[in-house]
Amino acid sequence: MSEGIVVIADPDRGRRESLAFALEAHTNFRVEEVASPEAARPYLGVIDVAAIVCDARSDAQNNYDLLREVRNSPRCNHISFVLTGDCAAGWGRAAAWTHGVDAILNYPLDMAELVACVRHSRARRQARAWEVGKPADDHLAAHQTSLLLATLTDAAAPGLLSMTEEIVAVAQALAAEFDIAGGLLGDLHHAARLHQLARLIEPGTPWELPDPPTFSRLVASSARLVTEIPSLGTAAELIAGMAAHWDGSGIPSHMERGRIPMRSRILRATADFVRNRADHPSIAMDKISLYSGTLYDPAVVSALRGVVLARDPRAQTFRTETVAIDRLEPGLVLAVDLCSASGVKLLSAGAVLTSASLRMIRERHAADPIAHGIPTQRRLM
């Protein structure tokens, strides 16, 4: 069984043939001969190539260019790179080591040393490639698993697959508003697909706002269904986090322990909006806004409104105006956070004014005046 391909790049045909004969006679490597480093380029990225052996005494610049290409490209970084002969000058050897050469072997070549070098460096690089590639493999497995489960859920409740893909798109747009790191988006996407997985076991359960107990039970069931799948473990945690009401737990952070994960807060508002947007996006957004600060993070609600306006022309039905305190009325949407003169925050941007909130604002105004006009949005319908 072949151990792989060794490419020998040397302008001296006699030297190439001698080295090729020795390798093939004493090892299971298959040898390919080329006259220059440039001619070795077609072998880059070939998974069976174990090593490239270049004569260091000729075409030094092309040797180093080829070495840099091998080391800087994920598709060929598994290849061992060996220089044979004197590199001619000190800077040449330093450049070779700096760019990641595996060995520099002088003539006369010790064939056992060359073979040991190729085998050792190949094993080391394969181990490193496995460690680097493992997250990518896990991500692919998670992607395929989440898509399969979402498809099965759609079979139980037709239409859910298209809905979950829209949730994924809106959640990604919201994540960008909060500068969520790209490495955290994979689990966000899987959780967005799988949060309705409980439909497989409870297909007839209603899931409408406002119904926090039913919502909590269903997302808990969804989380339990995927928590034992290693590649979906973090997604299961994010789904479980969706069941928690907003608790004022702060700004987004990559360290999400001890708080509702920001991605869970994004998913909760996004999923509820998409489920309730059928009649009209602005009506669904108003419904979400009624629970800003209780079921939903106000910052997420405010960002969601901006995303909705950008994505759906039907939602662009608001006129922004500054209103005096005595002209506030139910149904107006706060365009900015509402604070009293002393700096106390009363309501967050995105909140829809109700009779109860207006009563609270006016009571506070009597003791701690709101000394400026209040930017609001009024729906034009």
Side-chain angles (χ1 to χ4, degrees), residues 321-328 334-347 361 365 368-376:
E321 59 183 344
T322 300
V323 178
I325 184 69
D326 58 349
R327 292 180 51 233
L328 292 176
L334 293 180
V336 298
D337 291 346
L338 177 59
C339 301
S340 66
S342 66
V344 175
K345 182 177 174 180
L346 304 180
L347 289 172
I361 291 170
H365 175 67
D368 184 11
I370 300 168
H372 53 77
I374 302 167
T376 63

Side-chain angles (χ1 to χ4, degrees), residues 240-291:
M242 293 170 66
H245 300 338
W246 184 73
D247 61 357
S249 60
I251 61 175
S253 171
H254 299 329
M255 301 298 294
E256 296 178 330
R257 295 175 182 171
R259 63 170 64 197
I260 307 171
M262 188 63 186
R263 289 171 293 172
S264 293
R265 289 180 254 163
I266 286 173
L267 282 172
R268 178 158 197 185
T270 300
D272 283 352
F273 167 76
V274 172
R275 268 199 314 276
N276 286 274
R277 82 196 186 298
D279 294 332
H280 198 287
S282 62
I283 295 174
M285 196 65 242
D286 285 351
K287 200 171 186 180
I288 296 293
S289 298
L290 286 172
Y291 300 95

Side-chain angles (χ1 to χ4, degrees), residues 18-193:
S18 175
L19 184 55
F21 176 81
L23 278 172
E24 290 184 329
H26 297 93
T27 72
N28 290 323
F29 288 111
R30 180 163 64 87
V31 179
E32 298 288 343
E33 301 176 42
V34 294
S36 67
E38 188 65 32
R41 275 192 162 78
Y43 292 95
L44 300 186
V46 177
I47 195 64
D48 290 340
V49 173
I52 295 176
V53 180
C54 290
D55 179 61
R57 295 171 295 183
S58 57
D59 211 358
Q61 187 59 53
N62 276 338
N63 279 336
Y64 298 137
D65 289 344
L66 181 63
L67 173 58
R68 282 194 295 269
E69 187 171 343
V70 167
R71 289 294 167 258
N72 293 333
S73 173
R75 70 188 179 93
C76 52
N77 196 35
H78 64 280
I79 298 173
S80 302
F81 200 100
V82 178
L83 290 175
T84 59
D86 189 357
C87 285
W91 70 267
R93 295 179 68 89
W97 291 119
T98 299
H99 290 299
V101 73
D102 290 287
I104 301 174
L105 304 179
N106 290 322
Y107 286 107
L109 292 180
D110 183 327
M111 195 56 54
E113 183 180 12
L114 174 60
V115 172
C117 167
V118 170
R119 286 174 174 163
H120 172 72
S121 58
R122 183 182 62 163
R124 186 178 76 249
R125 292 193 181 283
Q126 283 177 336
R128 187 183 305 165
W130 184 87
E131 288 297 330
V132 171
K134 186 173 182 291
D137 292 341
D138 285 350
H139 176 71
L140 177 60
H143 170 76
Q144 292 173 334
T145 304
S146 66
L147 184 57
L148 172 62
L149 292 174
T151 304
L152 290 173
T153 309
D154 188 65
L160 286 184
L161 184 58
S162 60
M163 181 183 294
T164 56
E165 292 310 301
E166 180 165 357
I167 292 171
V168 169
V170 177
Q172 182 170 345
L174 265 182
E177 294 291 316
F178 290 99
D179 296 324
I180 302 295
L184 300 176
L185 292 180
D187 294 317
L188 178 69
H189 292 175
H190 305 324
R193 279 193 176 130

